[in-house]
Amino acid sequence: MKVAVVGATGMVGKIMLQILEERNFPVTELIPVASERSVGNTIDFKGEKVAIVSLEDAIDAKCDIALFSAGGSISLEYAPKFAAQGTTVIDNSSAWRMDENIKLVVPEINASQLTAEDKIIANPNCSTIQLVMALKPLHDKYKIKRVIVSTYQSVTGTGKEAVEQLEGEIRNEKPNMVYPYQIFKNALPHCDVFEDNGYTKEEMKLTNETKKILSDDTIQLTATAVRVPVQGGHSESVNIEFENDFDLKEVRQLMHNTPGIVLKDNPDTQIYPMPLYSEGKDDVFVGRIRRDFSQENTMNMWIVADNLRKGAATNTIQIAEYLIANGLIKQN
Ligand code: 2RA
């Protein structure tokens, strides 16, 4: 497969290259794409140095697959141009996620929707992916009525400059400010920009994308997204009200039996998920499962995942693997 990685020098792009190697993805030719100023520089892939090319040259290369992580404006302008060449685009930006003609895919949940005609496929937001991975088996079993989620999001979700701000503040330096405030020793209830309704885009992504992925607009979801001085992954405190009652032992069994979910839940021995220990892993870790005694048919859980891996790069590559395994990508 001739594979383009658009945004190859960004945080997610670099992880995608790493995961393509880790999973021995069938890359016969890699086309790394980055900004004009990076064209001609090289990146390392499978022990070789590969030259970065421009978007236009990558389009002309008629790739089989293009994995995008280059921001919404690049995706909006260039994904259709790659698709017009017969390239299947899997995009990490929010540009296409809520387009009614574009599939929004977490392979373990809804990859079966995909067809060979899908030439632009949207990868969900990182905080959505880990949430729906845990919600899906519960929704199938008990039918979710309402979800309240509070996120504790890693600075890696913002990007390299945010990591540099945190590390600079830890060293008591005056780093460039990506956030409006200091992030070290702090928590910012502000991920992405505020909308007119008082929520941030990040919070509305959780609401809108969850309904689309679970194919159920009756699910009510309200979110508060918080940035915290953490690097290993995103954490989420989730309160779930079901239409029907549930059995806690059965809930734990459902989590344990769900591919891609790892149950880490034994408060007696202080076993619960934490971002420091999710970093570099592809699983979604679930714990602190307990009944919400304040309301019937309602439970709480804690969900942690590496936002750069399952939250972005790994999920993207799993979609590509599914397409290949099911004969949905015709080699150009
Ligand atoms: C964030 N989910 O964490 C967003 C984008 N990666 O900032």
Side-chain angles (χ1 to χ4, degrees):
M1 287 281 170
K2 188 185 290 189
V3 179
V5 175
V6 179
T9 58
M11 289 191 88
V12 172
K14 286 178 179 173
I15 300 272
M16 285 199 283
L17 291 166
Q18 176 189 325
I19 292 170
L20 286 170
E21 286 196 50
E22 281 177 13
R23 298 175 74 99
N24 199 23
F25 192 87
V27 180
T28 53
E29 183 179 354
L30 177 75
I31 312 283
V33 184
S35 61
E36 280 301 324
R37 68 175 180 276
S38 301
V39 170
N41 295 345
T42 60
I43 56 101
D44 295 321
F45 184 71
K46 289 187 173 178
E48 294 183 11
K49 295 214 175 290
V50 185
I52 291 170
V53 304
S54 68
L55 279 159
E56 287 70 19
D57 287 348
I59 291 166
D60 294 343
K62 294 188 186 316
C63 300
D64 301 303
I65 302 172
L67 308 178
F68 270 58
S69 182
S73 54
I74 295 285
S75 294
L76 276 176
E77 180 178 356
Y78 286 94
K81 293 177 180 175
F82 277 85
Q85 298 280 58
T87 302
T88 298
V89 175
I90 306 171
D91 177 39
N92 269 273
S93 83
S94 57
W96 300 97
R97 289 176 185 156
M98 298 316 293
D99 183 311
E100 61 181 10
N101 301 311
I102 301 294
K103 308 271 173 61
L104 182 63
V105 177
V106 176
E108 295 90 336
I109 297 175
N110 61 353
S112 59
Q113 293 175 2
L114 291 167
T115 71
E117 282 62 51
D118 292 310
K119 302 310 285 181
I120 298 175
I121 301 162
N123 197 60
N125 192 35
C126 41
S127 47
T128 304
I129 290 173
Q130 64 187 74
L131 176 67
V132 294
M133 278 287 291
L135 293 184
K136 168 65 175 171
L138 300 175
H139 185 51
D140 289 348
K141 184 76 177 173
Y142 305 116
K143 188 141 178 17
I144 292 173
K145 183 176 179 182
R146 182 173 184 242
V147 179
I148 302 169
V149 53
S150 297
T151 73
Y152 305 77
Q153 299 187 213
S154 162
V155 292
T156 56
T158 307
K160 192 168 41 176
E161 294 76 15
V163 173
E164 289 167 356
Q165 177 183 334
L166 173 58
E167 291 178 343
E169 289 169 349
I170 291 171
R171 294 192 298 266
N172 202 23
E173 296 165 359
K174 294 269 183 233
N176 290 332
M177 297 291 282
V178 173
Y179 299 119
Y181 301 98
Q182 173 174 315
I183 184 66
F184 182 45
K185 300 180 185 176
N186 202 2
L188 305 187
H190 179 185
C191 295
D192 208 330
V193 297
F194 280 100
E195 309 255 27
D196 294 342
N197 66 3
Y199 285 82
T200 61
K201 280 185 183 290
E202 188 78 2
E203 291 158 350
M204 293 313 300
K205 288 171 188 174
L206 281 157
T207 297
N208 298 329
E209 293 177 23
T210 297
K211 293 176 183 225
K212 182 169 179 178
I213 295 163
L214 298 183
S215 304
D216 189 339
D217 280 342
T218 68
I219 295 174
Q220 298 302 307
L221 189 148
T222 185
T224 301
V226 181
R227 191 73 63 190
V228 292
V230 158
Q231 294 194 42
H234 291 347
S235 304
E236 296 173 345
S237 172
V238 185
N239 178 273
I240 312 164
E241 180 187 3
F242 300 106
E243 297 285 359
N244 309 299
D245 198 4
F246 58 90
D247 172 86
L248 273 182
K249 193 175 175 188
E250 190 177 61
V251 166
R252 288 194 172 88
Q253 196 58 47
L254 273 174
M255 292 295 102
H256 180 72
N257 295 342
T258 300
I261 297 269
V262 172
L263 182 64
K264 294 183 81 67
D265 192 19
N266 187 342
D268 295 343
T269 55
Q270 297 176 348
I271 301 295
Y272 35 71
M274 292 174 277
L276 188 62
Y277 305 105
S278 73
E279 186 168 16
K281 299 181 176 71
D282 290 324
D283 295 303
V284 172
F285 298 91
V286 171
R288 299 298 322 280
I289 292 171
R290 61 201 189 281
R291 188 173 288 275
D292 173 355
F293 297 120
S294 69
Q295 180 173 276
E296 65 174 6
N297 301 340
T298 306
M299 62 170 276
N300 293 311
M301 63 170 28
W302 175 251
I303 305 169
V304 176
D306 182 329
N307 55 295
L308 296 179
R309 288 185 70 103
K310 182 56 183 175
T314 304
N315 196 75
T316 299
I317 290 161
Q318 286 172 324
I319 293 170
E321 289 171 344
Y322 178 91
L323 293 168
I324 294 172
N326 290 275
L328 301 179
I329 288 187
K330 295 177 182 58
Q331 288 195 258
N332 267 337

